[in-house]
Amino acid sequence: MKELSLNILDIVQNSLTAGASHIEIDLAETDETLRITVTDDGCGMDENTVRNVTDPFYTTRKTRSVGLGIPFFKLAAEQTGGGLTLKSVPASESDGHGTVISALFYKTSIDFTPLGDVASTLCTLVQGLPDGTEITFTHSLPGGTVSLDTAEMRAVLCGVPLSTPEVIVFIKDDLASQYAEARAMK
Amino acid sequence: MKSLEELAKIRERMAGKVALREGENSIRIVVGMATCGIAAGARPVLNALVEEVAKQGVSDKATVSQTGCIGICQYEPVVEVFEPGKEKTTYVKMTPEKAVRVVAEHIKGGKPVVEYTIGNTII
């Protein structure tokens, strides 16, 4: 993956597959570090699956016997001196089921993959977001915070789909202006 | 979110059109968005398709959607076009530039861009 924002897009697909109704994407950035956390209330995974998902030769899909999403994300974090943690509660065990995946990156490392175009990742996610699933996104930077909340947007849109091209363009422009403000304050 | 008022304006503009649109769009454009697709560059391809469908005024007859791994990872980014009553068209090794042509010639013009399809691409 050329950008961490692509890893985020890939990891969030797992939450969608898990049937999550709420997905939280949280980016916490300082001058030296970046922490990316994705929290969902999807079906979760049992202990055995959690142990296996970082193995590139483990996958649930049927088309191929490799699964590189989480291994790529883990590698990207570890090569900067950071790491990945994964916690999951399966639906069979508790009503409070879901998964939290969190990765820490050291931005000062020469092997740090740039975060890249997060706005584009969010537009892609919103474009394909099923009804009944909401995303909240927060990116805290040293100069300010950038955020997006699809539930809030749906409430304003009253039935006009989030995937409407005009809405996607609006999100793109809105995030661009939020980022410009947060970065200017630094 | 900054300007929810702006979003409310979009709602007012779109409300009438959306009602019309439902049930009419018969062509489905599907983009593979699993790890393989994303790593190969599917995100800009998808965004280009969404943009072009709107820009070229074919959003009344085509929708863009996302799917998982299609099973031909070495050909990613892969875009499939489903038209009622016709055979599926599979475009491989897609780029945002190719996406513009697919929307213009295939979705709008009704003629698949044969040179971008799986049978005609040399890997």
Side-chain angles (χ1 to χ4, degrees):
Chain A
M1 300 274 180
K2 287 183 181 143
E3 303 173 359
L4 292 178
S5 67
L6 293 172
N7 290 94
I8 297 172
L9 176 58
D10 193 22
I11 293 301
V12 174
Q13 307 278 359
N14 295 338
S15 301
L16 291 169
T17 311
S21 54
H22 185 229
I23 303 166
E24 199 181 310
I25 306 167
D26 189 66
L27 312 186
E29 198 168 350
T30 66
D31 287 331
E32 283 87 35
T33 63
L34 167 66
R35 180 173 280 286
I36 299 173
T37 308
V38 178
T39 309
D40 72 54
D41 58 359
C43 64
M45 294 172 280
D46 59 33
E47 242 175 274
N48 196 30
T49 311
V50 171
R51 254 198 309 277
N52 280 320
V53 284
T54 49
D55 173 1
F57 296 101
Y58 179 85
T59 183
T60 54
R61 71 170 154 179
K62 303 288 180 281
T63 47
R64 286 262 148 130
S65 59
V66 291
L68 298 175
I70 295 171
F72 274 159
F73 195 40
K74 187 175 181 232
L75 174 73
E78 285 178 351
Q79 71 188 8
T80 70
L84 178 119
T85 56
L86 184 60
K87 273 185 212 145
S88 195
V89 178
S92 57
E93 275 176 25
S94 161
D95 285 341
H97 53 84
T99 301
V100 184
I101 184 164
S102 185
L104 176 69
F105 299 84
Y106 286 95
K107 289 162 65 181
T108 43
S109 163
I110 194 161
D111 291 317
F112 174 67
T113 312
L115 180 56
D117 192 352
V118 181
S120 184
T121 278
L122 288 166
C123 286
T124 307
L125 285 170
V126 172
Q127 198 272 335
L129 199 65
D131 287 337
T133 305
E134 304 297 355
I135 291 179
T136 48
F137 165 79
T138 318
H139 185 176
S140 56
L141 295 117
T145 302
V146 176
S147 66
L148 179 95
D149 181 347
T150 57
E152 187 184 55
M153 292 181 64
R154 273 201 232 259
V156 175
L157 285 167
C158 303
V160 172
L162 280 175
S163 59
T164 309
E166 286 77 1
V167 176
I168 301 297
V169 170
F170 162 80
I171 295 172
K172 196 171 145 192
D173 294 346
D174 186 83
L175 288 169
S177 75
Q178 286 191 63
Y179 271 115
E181 226 169 82
R183 297 221 159 97
M185 291 294 286
K186 211 185 155 187
Chain B
M1 286 274 96
K2 281 186 68 177
S3 46
L4 286 172
E5 300 83 28
E6 185 62 31
L7 199 58
K9 277 184 212 151
I10 294 175
R11 175 194 65 207
E12 276 151 38
R13 270 206 309 275
M14 299 312 296
K17 288 187 195 167
V18 173
L20 263 177
R21 216 180 260 175
E22 271 171 23
E24 271 187 26
N25 11 6
S26 47
I27 304 176
R28 284 199 308 129
I29 308 168
V30 179
V31 186
M33 293 294 286
T35 307
C36 46
I38 294 168
R43 188 181 69 182
V45 170
L46 178 98
N47 290 340
L49 285 168
V50 170
E51 216 166 280
E52 285 304 313
V53 164
K55 211 191 279 175
Q56 299 190 30
V58 285
S59 49
D60 53 338
K61 64 170 181 178
T63 49
V64 182
S65 54
Q66 306 176 25
T67 189
C69 179
I70 295 165
I72 40 170
C73 310
Q74 67 274 38
Y75 292 99
E76 291 283 357
V78 174
V79 174
E80 296 178 316
V81 178
F82 297 88
E83 292 169 279
K86 283 190 194 169
E87 240 182 272
K88 169 181 84 175
T89 309
T90 305
Y91 290 109
V92 297
K93 294 265 170 191
M94 286 297 283
T95 61
E97 294 74 28
K98 287 180 176 178
V100 176
R101 232 186 108 187
V102 167
V103 174
E105 293 177 24
H106 188 172
I107 310 303
K108 205 173 177 188
K111 233 176 127 260
V113 188
V114 177
E115 57 187 287
Y116 298 160
T117 58
I118 189 159
N120 287 276
T121 302
I122 301 148
I123 302 297

